[in-house]
Amino acid sequence: MAKTAKTKTLTDIAKLTKAQAKVEHMRLALELEAHDKRYYQEDAPSISDAEYDALRQRFNAIEKRFPEFVTAESPSQKIGAMPSGRFKKVRHAVPMLSLDNAFAEQDVLDFVGRIERFLKLSDDKIDFSAEPKIDGLSMSLRYEGGELVTAATRGDGAEGEDVTANIRTLEDVPQKLKGRNVPDICEVRGEVYMTKKAFLALNERQKAAGDTIFANPRNSAAGSLRQKDPSITASRPLGFFAYSWGQMSAMPEKTQTGMIHWFERCGFKTNPLTKLCHSVEHLIAFHHKIEEQRGELDYDIDGVVYKIDRIDWQERLGFVSRTPRWAIAHKFPAERAMTVLRDIEIQVGRTGSFTPVGKLEPVGVGGVIVQNVTLHNEDYIKGIGNKGEQLREGRDIRIGDTVVIQRAGDVIPQVVDVVIDKRPKNTKEFHFPKKCPCPLHTDVVREETATGEEGSRARCTGEFACPYQKIEHLKLFVSRRAFDIDGLGEKQLQYFFDEGWVREPADIFTLPKRNAKLKLEEIEGYGETSVRNLFAAIESRRRIALERFIYALGMRHVGETTALALARGYGSWDAFHDACLKIAKGDEDTIAEMDALDQIGDTVIKSVAAYFGESHNRGIVERLVKELSEIVDAEKPKSNSAVAGKTVVFTGSLEKMTRDEAKATAERLGAKAAGSVSKKTDYVVAGPGAGSKLAEAKKHGVQVLTEDEWLKLIGE
Ligand code: IVH
């Protein structure tokens, strides 16, 4: 950056035109991200702290003058995503997970029902800890020998930021745990928050000093924590409620509520509204009561959290993906606002599906400015639901209408109603396009549903010839959970695509050697540092984990979780690729093998077959693989267990555990839990009432175990 500063004279921010500011904002965002990456992930900063601060200051000053440039992706807003700002990274000993959401009472009933089925409880009653869901920032506090050693933010769940110096200034966080015999390692987790009163007072002070105004107490708590100077954090009144834990060398209590009391004995504050509930009715009543009190509380909450009280049951229930089975957040109803719909645009997704997006007169809902809203599909705009039912009493949505929108938690905003009284005269119904807006103008068809009826989703028939679909795939390819190529955001990618430089994934990897021809540096807003950083990012991604690679291919129905299941199932790219090619040719054994993998079924197999059945796609994959140095084999979970790598089928009724639980345990130990018996099955665990699967096992000479024999084998 020193170089850029020397060669370019910086214009006073007050004199920048909006267009100039926009370009500089984009360039600075890229540079800051690249510097953060070099600093944190490569431990090789290329500029001094002072230079970095100068960049950030200029960036912040631009955002202050043009607040409309601030997006969720802006480096100024990255809290709770990848570690940002200049703090050391900390890998969490136990990942920090998030919670599944319930909105309706039925969701809570379903949650409890799932648990009962999973645990196969008959007479045992389930107790729950019901707690307010504090709208702040989660924090993990690590104590060793009773002393606070590290405080880390959640970050991406696996890795957060080290904010220890700042956290030490919080009155609610003990430096030393009270009481004797505290376990040697204790990770206490909870929420850092700012009271509403403190937030209003802070904004007054900020306004008077001409500093950043925070949108809500959560943002102000985050901003206050991410200060380089702990004395600034100390001047901001932050609170902390303890409600959970990470790594513990010993468990002092057997229940969630027990742990909460233990936190109190250690010197923490816990939320006084927390209650032990004994039934679903009790939970719902708690939700209503807390919702009534919400306005009077001096801190923001966005729902309540229910957790199974018994920790041994929590352990049995375990996790699905990133959320525990034993807890759920029951959110409060969404906040609503009224605004004008200015336009409707059609977005073409990666797989060619059309989503109409409403462009709104920007409006604040629950502390966030909303400008776009999904209008789902053609029928939704007309006022017709998925099952043909009327929506909004049949009112259609027209450009120029005043609409009521709502935003529930992290869920994308929705139009819940149209205010007909405010409809301007002479508005016309919206006509859904019959042709793709891409230059090919391909026909649009409505998808069929599983039952063969006309579905509501419209799709472009252009497939790989449709440039919209190509660009959407490229966006997924470079995204954070796929190849994670820094410095290649949507805007840059669109530019490279429009210029014809990047038309398919492999082209990204040949960019560095084509640079002389492309002269990237001549692009407005693309400095020498940005190009250098981009190339470094590209180089570093020639080695990629198998699950990311599979996800990045962009097959329909193969999201992150499915990609991980496939990667774990096959272990290596060669094995997976080989299977995909065979499946595309209809090889039945290979199809059965993929079908036997956990979480993989018909839909995914069909999609794999369609993808690899297309020669254009095979070419894309082949060219891409050539550009990579290594596709890293997937880790097989717990490969040292007695059943790792084995395929097991459970049949008949089990007595000590439910089928779901048995499968989950098997998978945790690295075994494959399959649904049907084949010659590749290693064990069939048969309980009373086992029928055809037992016969199949005998036919194939597969070893049959009783439930007890299985438990002995896995050491439980
Ligand atoms: S428990 C494994 N309890 O909600 C479960 N979370 O959406 C860990 N939160 O990241 C979370 N109040 O920041 C839990 N009483 C509470 C909470 C709470 C607020 C936040 C927390 C978490 C997020 C999940």
Side-chain angles (χ1 to χ4, degrees), residues 564-621:
L564 182 63
L566 289 168
R568 287 196 171 150
Y570 287 94
S572 72
W573 165 245
D574 285 343
F576 175 65
H577 187 216
D578 190 47
C580 291
L581 296 177
K582 284 187 181 150
I583 286 175
K585 288 195 180 130
D587 184 284
E588 284 183 9
D589 281 348
T590 321
I591 292 176
E593 199 179 88
M594 188 175 280
D595 195 34
L597 295 179
D598 178 45
Q599 304 180 53
I600 308 293
D602 246 18
T603 324
V604 172
I605 294 174
K606 274 191 195 146
S607 166
V608 167
Y611 190 96
F612 282 91
E614 178 65 54
S615 68
H616 177 89
N617 285 343
R618 290 196 302 271
I620 287 182
V621 174

Side-chain angles (χ1 to χ4, degrees), residues 7 11 91 105 107 130 179 266 290 317 328 455 480 503 584 598 609 632 665 677 700:
T7 49
T11 317
R91 184 148 275 279
E105 286 182 11
D107 299 338
C266 288
I290 301 293
L317 284 155
I328 201 159
R480 202 154 71 81
R503 286 300 170 133
D598 178 45
V632 183
T665 313
V677 181
H700 293 294

Side-chain angles (χ1 to χ4, degrees), residues 97-99 131-134 138 154 191 243 305 307 324 326:
L97 301 148
S98 56
L99 294 169
E131 310 165 12
K133 184 169 186 298
I134 319 295
S138 47
R154 177 169 183 270
E191 203 84 353
Y243 54 62
V305 184
K307 302 174 185 170
W326 45 265

Side-chain angles (χ1 to χ4, degrees), residues 104 337 521:
E521 280 162 38

